[in-house]
Amino acid sequence: DVKYESSQTNIDALVGKSAVAVTKFDAEGRGRVKVGGEEWASKLEGTLLRQGSEGLKEAVAKGDRVVIVGVRGNHLFVIKENK
């Protein structure tokens, strides 16, 4: 009998890992992050953007740490890491 073990793919293994924003995220929650030496297109998960007196502010600035919560295609979905 042959037994198969399920294992995470390399992409799925990124979920739960910390990454660093290499760009500020735009008003639609899109930006780029670096994890494991690779740069990825990413999007904020949920509604993390807030309206301020100057208009919509980015929730993630360049250099901020984020946590990967999902992967869809070649995009990572992230949330801002709590300090």
Side-chain angles (χ1 to χ4, degrees), residues 7-18:
S7 62
Q8 289 183 317
T9 64
N10 288 340
I11 282 183
D12 292 333
L14 292 174
V15 174
K17 293 203 181 284
S18 184

Side-chain angles (χ1 to χ4, degrees), residues 1-74:
D1 288 340
V2 176
K3 292 187 179 182
Y4 296 96
E5 291 184 29
S6 66
S7 62
Q8 289 183 317
T9 64
N10 288 340
I11 282 183
D12 292 333
L14 292 174
V15 174
K17 293 203 181 284
S18 184
V20 177
V22 294
T23 64
K24 79 175 186 179
F25 280 54
D26 66 18
E28 280 138 20
R30 294 179 306 219
R32 295 190 67 79
V33 299
K34 191 170 198 175
V35 60
E38 293 186 26
E39 209 173 288
W40 292 80
S42 57
K43 187 160 175 67
L44 285 172
E45 178 69 27
T47 312
L48 298 177
L49 302 179
R50 57 182 190 265
Q51 188 76 26
S53 59
E54 309 89 43
L56 208 56
K57 296 186 179 234
E58 72 276 0
V60 176
K62 183 177 178 180
D64 283 352
R65 297 196 69 78
V66 296
V67 176
I68 301 162
V69 296
V71 180
R72 188 175 306 138
N74 62 350

